[in-house]
C-alpha cells in the first residue's frame, strides 16, 4: 500500500532559523529528547555526511506491527534483500528499528519493499513503493502503519493505516557547525493532525495529519536544551493551547551539525490485549549508524511527605512536642538540620 502523501516532499521552513538565531542558549531541561503528556513517542534519525555520496539509503521502521508475531522486517530493492533490522521488543508485535545510511546506490526507478522474509518473495511483501532514485539525493524509507487495520484504532482524520512507506527524498545533511537540520514525520496511526510549538521562541511548526512530512527546519545549537510541544491542530484552532499531546526537550548541542528526522509512532489508545511494550507511544533516537536509543520522559516535580509517628516516644516521656523538634535533612535542603522541621504533633510530618 502506498501512503496518501507519498509524493509530498519535505518542505523548507527557513524562517525558523532567523527566529532562533536571535536567542541565547537555553538551559531549560535535560536529556537529548524527552516526552510527557500522552507518552507521545518520537524517533530521531540523525546523519552526518561529510561529502555527497548520493544516492544513499536509510531504513526506518516506525510501524507498530508488520505481521502477527513478527519480530524482524527485511527491506528489498527490486526483489533483492539489501537490509534488515530486528525489533526492539523481541517477541512482541510492536517494534521499531533502523539501519544507518549506506550506499552509494544507483539512480533509476526502484521498487522498494518491506518483507517478512529475506527472500523477498512476492507473498512475503507487506508494503512496497516505486521510487525514481536520483543521483544527487539521499533517501529515507520509513515504514508506517499496521498489518491489520481492523485490529487497531483507526485514524481520526480518516487516513488509511495499512502498512505503507513514507519516502523522504531530501535527506541531505548540511553538516554546518552551529545548526541542526530537522525533518518531521507523523507516523502515529491514531493521532490526529498535529502542530508543534516551541514556547521559547513562540515558533509554530505545522506538521499535518498522519504520514505528513515537514523538512528543512533549522535549529541553532546555541539554543541548548529546547522545549517543543506537540498539539492537536484542531484544539489549537479552538483556542486550547494549554493541553499539548506531548512535550519534548531537545538537547541541540548534542546534535550540532547533524540532520535529524523526528517521527511520532505508536498508539495513544493501544488496542485491547496489547501491552504498553506492544503498542503504546515510545521515544526513540536513531543515529546515522542505525543505533536506536529509547529516550525517557522529562522529569516531573513530585511532592514527598515525610511522616514520623512520635506517639510512643511522647508516651514514654522521651519526646516533648512542646520543646523538642524533628527535622529532615537531605540534598533537597543542603543537609540542613533546621530547614525542614516536622509539624509538632503526634504524627510529625513535612512536605
Amino acid at each position: 500500500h502506498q501512503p496518501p502523501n507519498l509524493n509530498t516532499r519535505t518542505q523548507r521552513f527557513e524562517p525558523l532559523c532567523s527566529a532562533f538565531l536571535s536567542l541565547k542558549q537555553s538551559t531549560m531541561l535535560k536529556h537529548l529528547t524527552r516526552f510527557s503528556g500522552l507518552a507521545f513517542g518520537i524517533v530521531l534519525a540523525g546523519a552526518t555526511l561529510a561529502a555527497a555520496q548520493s544516492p544513499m539509503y536509510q531504513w526506518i521502521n516506525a510501524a507498530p506491527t508488520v505481521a502477527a508475531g513478527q519480530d524482524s522486517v527485511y527491506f528489498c530493492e527490486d526483489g533483492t534483500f539489501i537490509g534488515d533490522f530486528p525489533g526492539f521488543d523481541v517477541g512482541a508485535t510492536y517494534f521499531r528499528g533502523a539501519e544507518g545510511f549506506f550506499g552509494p546506490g544507483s539512480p533509476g526507478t526502484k521498487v522498494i519493499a518491506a518483507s517478512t522474509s529475506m527472500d523477498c518473495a512476492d507473498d512475503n511483501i507487506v508494503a512496497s513503493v516505486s521510487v525514481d532514485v536520483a543521483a544527487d539525493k539521499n533517501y529515507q524509507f520509513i515504514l508506517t502503519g499496521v498489518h491489520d487495520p481492523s485490529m487497531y484504532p483507526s485514524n481520526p482524520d480518516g487516513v488509511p493505516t495499512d502498512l505503507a512507506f513514507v519516502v523522504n527524498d531530501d535527506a541531505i545533511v548540511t553538516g554546518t557547525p552551529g545548526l541542526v537540520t530537522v525533518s518531521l514525520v507523523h507516523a502515529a496511526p491514531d493521532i490526529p493532525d498535529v502542530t508543534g510549538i516551541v514556547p521559547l521562541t513562540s515558533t509554530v511548526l505545522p506538521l499535518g495529519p498522519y504520514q505528513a512530512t515537514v523538512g528543512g527546519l533549522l535549529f541553532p545549537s546555541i539554543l541548548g536544551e529546547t522545549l517543543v510541544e506537540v498539539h492537536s491542530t484542531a484544539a489549537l484552532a479552538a483556542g486550547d493551547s494549554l493541553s499539548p499531546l506531548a512535550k519534548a526537550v531537545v538537547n541541540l548541542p548534542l546534535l550540532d551539525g547533524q540532520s535529524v528526522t523526528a517521527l511520532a509512532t505508536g498508539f495513544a489508545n493501544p488496542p485491547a490485549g496489547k501491552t504498553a511494550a506492544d503498542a503504546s507511544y515510545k521515544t526513540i533516537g536513531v543515529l546515522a549508524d542505525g543505533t536506536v536509543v529509547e529516550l525517557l520522559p522529562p522529569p516531573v516535580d513530585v511532592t514527598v511527605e515525610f511522616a514520623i509517628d512520635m506517639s510512643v516516644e511522647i508516651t514514654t516521656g522521651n519526646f516533648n512536642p512542646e520543646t523538642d523538634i524533628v527535622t529532615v535533612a537531605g540534598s533537597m535542603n543542603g543537609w540542613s538540620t533546621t530547614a525542614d522541621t516536622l509539624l509538632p504533633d503526634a504524627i510529625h510530618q513535612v512536605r
Side-chain angles (χ1 to χ4, degrees):
H1 305 275
Q2 296 186 359
N5 63 338
L6 180 62
N7 295 321
T8 301
R9 297 185 177 182
T10 54
Q11 302 169 5
R12 294 288 172 187
F13 197 82
E14 304 298 342
L16 183 62
C17 181
S18 59
F20 276 11
L21 284 174
S22 63
L23 299 171
K24 306 228 180 243
Q25 184 171 359
S26 167
T27 56
M28 296 169 56
L29 293 173
K30 298 180 178 180
H31 297 288
L32 173 64
T33 300
R34 291 173 171 241
F35 285 78
S36 63
L38 288 175
F40 190 66
I42 285 186
V43 179
L44 295 180
T48 301
L49 305 179
Q53 303 179 58
S54 300
M56 298 183 72
Y57 295 162
Q58 183 179 40
W59 309 120
I60 298 177
N61 181 14
T65 65
V66 172
Q70 187 75 21
D71 62 4
S72 291
V73 63
Y74 304 87
F75 285 92
C76 312
E77 180 186 69
D78 292 338
T80 300
F81 164 75
I82 56 175
D84 74 306
F85 47 80
F88 255 89
D89 305 311
V90 177
T93 57
Y94 185 20
F95 58 90
R96 298 87 160 173
E99 183 166 307
F101 277 95
F102 66 95
S106 59
T109 301
K110 311 289 184 180
V111 176
I112 304 299
S115 172
T116 58
S117 173
M118 193 181 297
D119 64 13
C120 299
D122 289 346
D123 55 355
N124 294 322
I125 299 300
V126 294
S128 64
V129 62
S130 178
V131 179
D132 291 328
V133 175
D136 60 347
K137 291 180 177 292
N138 296 321
Y139 293 82
Q140 290 172 318
F141 300 103
I142 304 158
L143 185 63
T144 65
V146 294
H147 72 283
D148 185 352
S150 67
M151 296 175 59
Y152 298 88
S154 60
N155 179 265
D157 298 318
V159 181
T161 58
D162 306 74
L163 287 168
F165 278 109
V166 171
V167 180
N168 177 14
D169 65 357
D170 196 21
I172 299 175
V173 177
T174 63
T176 303
L179 292 177
V180 179
T181 304
V182 179
S183 296
L184 306 175
V185 180
H186 185 343
D190 71 334
I191 290 297
D193 188 307
V194 295
T195 296
I197 294 179
V198 182
L200 180 64
T201 61
S202 299
T203 303
V204 178
L205 308 173
L207 178 51
Y210 173 57
Q211 295 183 332
T213 65
V214 174
L217 308 178
L218 301 177
F219 291 77
S221 56
I222 195 174
L223 288 176
E225 296 164 329
T226 302
L227 176 69
V228 179
E229 296 179 346
V230 179
H231 292 258
S232 161
T233 302
L236 287 177
D240 181 6
S241 61
L242 301 177
S243 306
L245 298 174
K247 295 180 180 180
V249 178
V250 182
N251 192 323
L252 295 171
L254 293 183
L255 298 171
D256 186 85
Q258 297 191 62
S259 176
V260 177
T261 300
L263 299 93
T265 180
F267 292 94
N269 301 292
K274 299 296 181 182
T275 66
D278 289 333
S280 65
Y281 288 118
K282 286 187 178 180
T283 303
I284 297 173
V286 183
L287 307 182
D289 62 1
T291 300
V292 182
V293 180
E294 182 174 353
L295 304 168
L296 302 174
V300 178
D301 291 336
V302 296
T303 298
V304 177
E305 181 176 286
F306 292 90
I308 301 175
D309 187 348
M310 299 297 293
S311 59
V312 174
E313 298 301 317
I314 293 173
T315 300
T316 59
N318 294 325
F319 184 83
N320 183 351
E322 299 296 328
T323 58
D324 298 328
I325 63 172
V326 179
T327 63
V328 175
S331 58
M332 72 284 187
N333 61 13
W335 298 98
S336 170
T337 58
T338 59
D340 290 305
T341 301
L342 278 64
L343 299 177
D345 53 20
I347 305 297
H348 283 58
Q349 59 185 349
V350 65
R351 300 183 69 181

